[in-house]
Amino acid sequence: MAKRRVETMEENRAKLIAAARKAFAKKGYSAASMDELTAEVSLTRGALYHNFGDKRGLLAAVVDQIDSEMASRAQKIGARAGNDWQGLLAEGAAYIEMALDPEVQRIVLLDGPAVLGDPSRWPSQSSCLQVTKRTVERLIAQGLLKPIDAEAAARLLSGAALNAALWIAASDDPEDVLPKAIQAFRSLAAGLLVNPV
């Protein structure tokens, strides 16, 4: 019986996140109605409050899901790049490029920071930071990067990619900003190399 209740709670949580993701992408956080959202998945506001506390908690869950998907996609792209250095550059560029996706733009890069505050404090960003830190540590051990503090370098690289994505999302012409942002990200990262290319 308890197992079934846990499964139902998880199903309800997943339904609410999916409905919220759709509503936030279409209407934006502030215009999305919690009554419409819960009615769409045949649940009550009580289920929403029980699972997320409030609308802000629901946004945090949606942002976490999308941001985690973005990080996973970027890491897969980086893994196909051939080596750690090319992977680091490809991963950063992929993350920046995702700022062109309307759902990412509206939910993660515009509404997320406005409602949830500093993205560098989000759990999904912390997880991404740890992956970048491990890559930086490997590159330092391989003698490719200068012997600097790996966490500091990872924070600056992650921050550069995130801020580039935020810039694109807020831009009047995201397509024009994208190549500039990626080129600048690559140049900044290259400054960490022992022998810059």
Side-chain angles (χ1 to χ4, degrees), residues 64-172:
D64 187 64
Q65 183 181 72
I66 297 171
D67 201 32
S68 295
E69 289 170 5
M70 291 170 67
S72 176
R73 232 171 31 222
Q75 287 163 17
K76 285 178 185 163
I77 290 167
R80 292 193 300 260
N83 63 44
D84 285 337
W85 173 246
Q86 290 302 320
L88 181 74
L89 295 178
E91 196 173 314
Y95 189 88
I96 294 167
E97 195 169 327
M98 287 178 222
L100 294 178
D101 179 306
E103 179 186 54
V104 167
Q105 231 175 60
R106 179 167 230 167
I107 297 173
V108 177
L109 301 172
L110 297 174
D111 287 346
V115 177
L116 304 174
D118 181 4
S120 70
R121 296 183 169 278
W122 298 348
S124 53
Q125 287 290 315
S126 295
S127 160
C128 194
L129 175 68
Q130 293 312 310
V131 171
T132 303
K133 181 182 172 200
R134 287 191 294 275
T135 301
V136 168
E137 288 168 343
R138 284 194 308 275
L139 289 165
I140 291 170
Q142 294 165 16
L144 291 171
L145 293 189
K146 296 171 183 166
I148 57 175
D149 185 85
E151 183 174 352
R155 284 186 178 279
L156 293 174
L157 288 167
S158 294
L162 174 62
N163 276 288
L166 291 167
W167 177 35
I168 291 165
S171 168
D172 291 334

